[in-house]
């Protein structure tokens, strides 16, 4: 494959490659749908068929929401939830400390409270209790009077813990993590990733599963005549939580997920949920929220609580209806997130150094450990190591002879399945996950054996390039990078996993002004000019150091090929185009 502009190695070490697309299909889409040719080409490159253009550009739940009954055990779950509502039972919602857990937990608590149930929630402490239900916590919920326990974003593998509820409370599991073998003996275990579930909905996050459970519950109650004297609550108002969880759990933004996020962003834009509105304000999101806002502003702050502070603070914020109280909680989460960033920075340098040595030694999978590394940041660090070396990466903190860690993988390499296999082989104390992410713990003396197991099972990763290819959608001259172009590209949003934001190359651009902005100076703001004229604002994040930052800030007037996203930015009722730089390469003389 011929690299873009002959760039075999950019300033960030990547090869630039064109995204493959059927040009005739792109033209047909544009003509039949009355769209600009560029939009037609972008849709064709994403595999959108002619008949699917409408649903892609205007995704609606009316046309795309699946029947909840497609999920195994969903009808049983809806019946048991309806019984709890009709009898006014006390229900406990057992959640998780990440964004999906906080969102699915808050969604279920709100839905059941609106229907008259007395509902409490429980989120385990990451350091003291670990992930998922444990027998002591389940017994505590039963002692507090819960006759129904709903596990969200966890529970599918908690056989022993959930057995503690037998004879005292029924259990409904709403999960999405990979399931191994038999499910726990509970009233209902709804999980699209159950081995025996034929729904085809494996890409749903837990909050989406919980949302479908609420839809099924309302339908069941409607059939029972429950809403004859009471108004049926709107399930649509819960979609902001589903959107937030879907984006932050890195679910593919295709199919029903695309509709859930698109409609959820509309709900969020109304700022009707005090906790979300407060987080948007603290994160300085002044425009309409986007998938980027969810993934990079709201998500990290909610996650921070479970990583280094009170595990249920994120869920409590999403349940808060008082704007003043919500603002105080949001500011606290913001402060906790800054502390999380400091802890992360302390671990990152050592992790990079250890990973560099392993990469140089030819390991297909990088496994780095450190004494005292905080378990709450190892997942984030693993993601950064994976990005830097383009290898599956596992990072763990050692304490008391036990390593607890997280792993992140690259496309096409199923890390979760191998971690599960390692646990089944006796190399791990705990272990599970999905293709792109996993969690695990092991005794320190088994470190080398675990690393060897990973390397053997994922040997194909050794052939990956040192940096992931940068996929480019098209070439745009600086004068053509207009506001109109940016708005056309925006029609393909929401962007994320499975629908990546288009990257364009702007050839032979010259940086005419550049300076550092932001509190830490990690962002570079610049203005560029093209070979044939034109002027465009550009910005580059996470540019504290490195060849890319140096090239943008260099005072000499050499030209650069610039790669990035062309976005429409809105400020005080004005819209302008801005290039978000992700890479660059010097223009070769001659």
């Amino acid at each position: 494959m011929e690299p873009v502009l002959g760039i075999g190695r950019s300033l960030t070490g990547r090869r630039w490659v064109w995204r493959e697309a059927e040009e005739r299909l792109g033209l047909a889409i544009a003509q039949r749908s009355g769209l600009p040719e560029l939009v037609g080409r972008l849709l064709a490159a994403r595999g959108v068929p002619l008949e699917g253009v409408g649903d892609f550009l205007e995704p609606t739940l009316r046309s795309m929401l699946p029947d909840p009954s497609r999920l195994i055990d969903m009808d049983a779950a809806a019946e048991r939830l309806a019984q709890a509502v009709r009898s006014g039972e006390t229900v406990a919602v057992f959640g998780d400390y990440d964004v999906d857990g906080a969102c699915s937990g808050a969604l279920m608590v709100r839905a059941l409270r609106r229907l008259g149930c007395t509902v409490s929630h429980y989120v385990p402490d990451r350091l003291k209790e670990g992930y998922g239900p444990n027998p002591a916590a389940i017994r505590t919920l039963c002692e507090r009077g819960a006759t129904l326990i709903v596990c969200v974003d966890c529970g599918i593998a908690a056989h022993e813990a959930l057995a503690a509820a037998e004879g005292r409370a029924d259990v409904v599991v709403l999960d999405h993590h990979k399931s191994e073998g038999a499910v726990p003996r509970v009233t209902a275990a709804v999980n699209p990733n159950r081995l025996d579930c034929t729904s085809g909905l494996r890409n749903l996050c837990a909050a989406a599963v919980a949302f479908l459970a609420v839809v099924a519950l309302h339908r069941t109650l409607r059939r029972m005549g429950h809403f004859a004297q009471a108004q049926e609550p709107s399930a649509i108002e819960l979609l902001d939580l589903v959107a937030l969880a879907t984006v932050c759990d890195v679910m593919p933004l295709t199919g029903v997920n695309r509709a859930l996020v698109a409609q959820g962003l509309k709900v969020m834009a109304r700022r009707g949920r005090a906790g979300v509105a407060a987080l948007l304000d603290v994160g300085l999101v002044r425009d309409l929220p986007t998938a980027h806002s969810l993934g990079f502003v709201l998500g990290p702050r909610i996650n921070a609580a479970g990583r280094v502070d009170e595990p249920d603070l994120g869920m409590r914020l999403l349940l808060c209806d008082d704007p003043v109280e919500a603002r105080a909680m949001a500011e606290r989460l913001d402060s906790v997130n800054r502390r999380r960033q400091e802890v992360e920075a302390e671990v990152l340098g050592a992790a990079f150094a250890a990973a560099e040595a392993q990469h140089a030694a030819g390991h297909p999978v990088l496994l780095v450990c450190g004494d005292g590394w905080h378990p709450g940041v190892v997942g984030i660090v693993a993601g950064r190591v994976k990005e830097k070396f383009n290898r599956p990466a596992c990072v763990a903190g050692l304490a008391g002879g036990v390593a607890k860690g997280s792993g992140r993988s690259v496309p096409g390499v199923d890390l979760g399945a191998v971690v599960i296999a390692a646990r089944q082989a006796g190399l791990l104390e705990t272990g599970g996950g999905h293709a792109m992410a996993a969690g695990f713990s092991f005794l320190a003396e088994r470190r080398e054996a675990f690393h060897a197991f990973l390397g053997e099972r994922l040997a194909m990763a050794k052939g990956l390039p040192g940096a992931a290819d940068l996929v480019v959608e098209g070439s745009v001259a600086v004068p053509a990078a207009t506001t109109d172009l940016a708005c056309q590209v925006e029609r393909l949003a929401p962007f994320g996993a499975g629908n990546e934001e288009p990257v364009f190359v702007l050839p032979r651009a010259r940086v005419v002004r550049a300076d550092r902005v932001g509190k830490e100076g990690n962002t570079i703001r610049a203005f560029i000019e093209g070979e044939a004229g034109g002027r465009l604002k550009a910005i580059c994040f996470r540019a504290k150091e490195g060849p890319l930052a140096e090239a943008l800030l260099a005072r000499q007037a050499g030209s650069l090929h610039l790669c990035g996203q062309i976005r429409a930015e809105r400020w005080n009722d004005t819209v302008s185009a801005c290039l978000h730089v992700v890479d660059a390469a010097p223009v070769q003389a001659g």
Side-chain angles (χ1 to χ4, degrees):
M1 185 185 297
E2 186 68 23
V4 174
L5 300 176
I7 307 301
R9 186 174 176 83
S10 69
L11 290 175
T12 64
R14 290 187 279 188
R15 183 179 65 150
W16 297 355
V17 297
W18 294 115
R19 181 188 286 274
E20 295 183 5
E22 175 55 61
E23 283 197 33
R24 290 199 302 176
L25 175 59
L27 187 59
I29 287 174
Q31 291 175 342
R32 183 178 297 187
S33 305
L35 296 168
E37 187 176 338
L38 171 68
V39 175
R41 284 197 290 112
L42 294 174
L43 289 168
R46 281 153 179 74
V48 179
L50 273 170
E51 62 276 11
V53 171
D55 279 342
F56 190 93
L57 294 179
E58 298 291 337
T60 64
L61 293 178
R62 182 179 298 275
S63 64
M64 302 181 77
L65 191 70
D67 182 346
S69 295
R70 280 170 54 183
L71 288 157
I72 193 167
D73 268 9
M74 181 61 88
D75 290 340
E79 289 285 344
R80 183 60 186 89
L81 289 167
Q83 178 187 329
V85 170
R86 301 275 283 175
S87 304
E89 291 182 54
T90 296
V91 182
V93 174
F94 193 106
D96 186 24
Y97 33 66
D98 70 355
V99 177
D100 193 14
C103 289
S104 50
L107 185 154
M108 189 55 57
V109 170
R110 284 187 173 276
L112 292 173
R113 281 179 179 168
R114 289 190 307 182
L115 291 167
C117 288
T118 299
V119 189
S120 64
H121 70 267
Y122 189 98
V123 179
D125 185 289
R126 178 191 289 264
L127 298 179
K128 297 175 183 176
E129 298 174 86
Y131 165 80
N134 59 80
I138 295 299
R139 285 192 292 269
T140 296
L141 295 176
C142 294
E143 289 162 4
R144 291 175 182 171
T147 52
L148 174 62
I149 298 172
V150 182
C151 295
V152 290
D153 198 29
C154 61
I156 199 63
H159 296 75
E160 179 186 352
L162 298 182
E166 285 187 17
R168 307 178 72 181
D170 290 334
V171 176
V172 168
V173 171
L174 304 174
D175 201 354
H176 76 130
H177 291 93
K178 277 192 174 181
S179 170
E180 308 167 51
V183 300
R185 293 175 54 189
V186 294
T187 300
V190 184
N191 183 338
N193 285 296
R194 273 180 60 165
L195 297 178
D196 55 350
C197 186
T198 59
S199 66
L201 299 171
R202 296 186 180 277
N203 289 326
L204 293 180
C205 69
V209 174
F211 177 77
L212 288 177
V214 172
V215 172
L217 168 60
H218 285 190
R219 183 176 63 187
T220 301
L221 290 171
R222 200 181 308 125
R223 190 171 61 242
M224 293 176 171
H226 183 79
F227 298 120
Q229 276 78 40
Q231 184 176 0
E232 180 176 347
S234 170
I236 297 298
E237 296 305 312
L238 300 169
L239 283 175
D240 58 336
L241 299 174
V242 181
L244 179 55
T246 299
V247 170
C248 293
D249 230 39
V250 201
M251 296 292 107
L253 297 190
T254 56
V256 64
N257 281 343
R258 185 168 173 78
L260 291 169
V261 173
Q263 299 306 318
L265 285 170
K266 292 178 182 178
V267 174
M268 189 177 290
R270 298 198 287 267
R271 292 184 174 241
R273 196 174 309 286
V276 173
L279 267 186
L280 289 169
D281 290 340
V282 166
L284 303 179
V285 179
R286 299 183 177 90
D287 298 331
L288 293 176
T290 64
H292 186 272
S293 313
L294 274 54
F296 292 92
V297 178
L298 304 189
R301 287 168 170 81
I302 294 175
N303 262 334
R307 295 186 189 283
V308 294
D309 201 78
E310 300 172 57
D312 70 339
L313 183 56
M315 190 191 296
R316 290 195 343 251
L317 174 67
L318 297 177
L319 289 170
C320 180
D321 293 319
D322 183 288
V324 176
E325 185 181 351
R327 177 70 188 207
M329 294 170 75
E331 288 176 347
R332 184 171 173 188
L333 278 174
D334 188 55
S335 175
V336 170
N337 188 52
R338 286 196 297 273
R339 192 164 85 245
R340 186 271 305 168
Q341 290 171 329
E342 294 169 359
V343 174
E344 177 189 332
E346 293 171 1
V347 174
L348 195 59
F352 274 168
E356 180 77 61
Q358 292 184 13
H359 183 258
H363 286 279
V365 181
L366 309 176
L367 172 62
V368 297
C369 307
D371 288 323
W373 288 1
H374 198 295
V377 302
V378 292
I380 300 173
V381 173
R384 295 287 299 277
V385 172
K386 179 262 297 185
E387 289 174 11
K388 183 175 177 65
F389 298 100
N390 195 37
R391 293 285 187 277
C394 295
V395 179
L398 289 164
V402 176
K404 294 182 179 180
S406 291
R408 298 293 182 269
S409 194
V410 296
V413 180
D414 190 339
L415 180 61
V418 177
V419 166
I420 290 171
R423 178 176 55 75
Q424 292 171 338
L427 296 173
L428 301 176
E429 300 299 294
T430 61
H434 50 79
M436 299 299 288
F440 54 83
S441 66
F442 58 85
L443 299 180
E445 60 264 26
R446 291 190 180 141
R447 173 179 172 176
E448 294 304 323
F450 177 44
H451 198 184
F453 187 90
L454 291 171
E456 178 186 334
R457 294 295 183 97
L458 299 177
M460 79 291 287
K462 191 171 184 177
L464 293 169
D469 288 343
L470 180 60
V471 179
V472 181
E473 305 258 8
S475 178
V476 178
V478 172
T482 62
T483 301
D484 180 61
L485 174 67
C487 290
Q488 288 180 22
V489 172
E490 198 175 52
R491 297 185 66 177
L492 277 72
F495 298 117
N499 181 38
E500 287 75 17
E501 186 173 2
V503 170
F504 299 95
V505 60
L506 278 66
R508 299 181 177 275
R510 188 169 62 89
V511 180
V512 295
R513 196 182 106 200
D515 48 27
R516 291 191 175 277
V517 295
K519 289 182 180 178
E520 306 296 328
N522 292 341
T523 299
I524 295 175
R525 179 180 55 194
F527 289 91
I528 62 174
E529 288 182 351
E531 195 175 33
R535 192 177 177 94
L536 179 66
K537 177 186 172 184
I539 195 160
C540 184
F541 295 102
R542 279 168 62 175
K544 187 172 184 178
E545 56 188 21
L548 177 58
E550 292 170 7
L552 293 174
L553 292 168
R555 294 293 175 235
Q556 58 265 35
S559 294
L560 295 168
H561 301 309
L562 294 173
C563 264
Q565 297 102 358
I566 300 172
R567 295 180 183 166
E569 296 196 335
R570 295 165 176 83
W571 180 255
N572 289 340
D573 298 323
T574 63
V575 186
S576 59
C578 179
L579 176 69
H580 285 242
V581 179
V582 296
D583 204 356
V587 176
Q588 301 299 322

